[in-house]
Amino acid sequence: MRALDLDYMLGLVPVLLSYLPLTLWMAALGMVLALILGSLLAVERVIKVPVLDTFVILFISFFRGTPLLVQLFLFYYGLPQVLAFLTQINGVTAAIMGLTLHFAAYMAESIRAAIVGVDRSQWEAAQSIGMTQAQMMRRIVLPQAARVAAPTLVNYFIDMIKSTSLAFTLGVTEMMGAAQKEAAGSFLYFEAFLVVAVIYWIVVEALSQVQKLLEVRLNRAFAR
């Protein structure tokens, strides 16, 4: 059994960290887009617009019921064969599209549950003072639902950061892709993948602490 090459591992840390901004950027942009889309899907699932609701149900079912890796391959390798204008799509764009649609489907169900969980008296009070459905959602229901859904949404962001590691299968050189290239050049696969695993671990643990602080802050504000 050979000893770990600690010098190699220490030298690899700054190399992999240089790709961390790309990893976080893909996750952050995907999160923002998924949150917007997921909120729209959730609201539609609550108000149930005829015909549109069927398509939304199918969308959520498909993206929750198929692996993210398959979806990424579908966007990057499959769709350009069907839609010519997608032939110029790059790996980063395909990865963000896949992350957005995949996590939007999950967020939609979480946000929908949070919306439905808002006390019915709040809905009735808003209706009694003449608020339209849009005003009621924007001013009364969604702010309360956001408090309930926030911890779950942070969990989805954490999952999204970890899921960006799949982008290397599309030729994107993010942290996982860089680790793969470094390992292929040095043949020190264990050391390379251990370093990238520890970096992901540290990032996730930092976000987990942020999540705990957010929960405490939201619960304290609600208690007042």
Side-chain angles (χ1 to χ4, degrees):
M1 180 177 179
R2 70 176 180 83
L4 290 176
D5 190 334
L6 297 179
D7 290 336
Y8 172 77
M9 294 174 69
L10 290 174
L12 192 57
V13 171
V15 175
L16 297 185
L17 285 178
S18 67
Y19 293 95
L20 180 59
L22 176 59
T23 293
L24 295 178
W25 180 79
M26 288 194 297
L29 181 56
M31 181 66 185
V32 171
L33 296 176
L35 184 57
I36 293 172
L37 179 58
S39 298
L40 294 174
L41 294 174
V43 171
E44 196 289 322
R45 288 291 292 123
V46 172
I47 62 179
K48 298 184 184 298
V49 177
V51 182
L52 179 60
D53 192 52
T54 301
F55 287 102
V56 170
I57 291 173
L58 287 174
F59 174 91
I60 292 175
S61 176
F62 176 80
F63 283 99
R64 281 167 58 97
T66 56
L68 175 57
L69 183 59
V70 173
Q71 295 165 16
L72 293 177
F73 279 20
L74 186 63
F75 284 121
Y76 190 61
Y77 298 111
L79 283 183
Q81 294 183 340
V82 179
L83 303 173
F85 69 91
L86 290 177
T87 54
Q88 301 302 315
I89 190 173
N90 59 36
V92 173
T93 303
I96 293 173
M97 287 174 56
L99 291 170
T100 296
L101 298 180
H102 181 82
F103 283 94
Y106 283 92
M107 289 181 189
E109 288 300 287
S110 297
I111 296 171
R112 182 191 65 81
I115 291 174
V116 173
V118 174
D119 194 285
R120 295 305 300 181
S121 62
Q122 301 288 321
W123 300 66
E124 293 166 359
Q127 291 171 340
S128 69
I129 60 175
M131 281 190 179
T132 65
Q133 198 166 49
Q135 290 174 328
M136 178 175 63
M137 279 289 178
R138 186 175 70 254
R139 298 178 182 178
I140 306 298
V141 178
L142 288 180
Q144 295 184 63
R147 184 191 68 85
V148 176
T152 302
L153 296 178
V154 175
N155 271 334
Y156 285 136
F157 182 53
I158 291 173
D159 286 342
M160 191 177 290
I161 289 176
K162 292 185 289 185
S163 296
T164 59
S165 61
L166 294 175
F168 92 95
T169 62
L170 308 183
V172 178
T173 305
E174 38 67 68
M175 280 204 303
M176 185 62 188
Q180 173 69 25
K181 290 181 178 180
E182 291 293 331
S186 64
F187 296 104
L188 297 176
Y189 290 96
F190 184 78
E191 285 89 339
F193 293 137
L194 180 58
V195 171
V196 76
V198 170
I199 292 175
Y200 276 115
W201 184 22
I202 292 172
V203 171
V204 167
E205 282 301 307
L207 286 172
S208 296
Q209 294 304 313
V210 172
Q211 178 189 18
K212 291 178 183 178
L213 292 174
L214 179 62
E215 289 182 19
V216 170
R217 185 179 184 87
L218 289 174
N219 289 332
R220 184 185 301 149
F222 184 75
R224 292 176 183 173

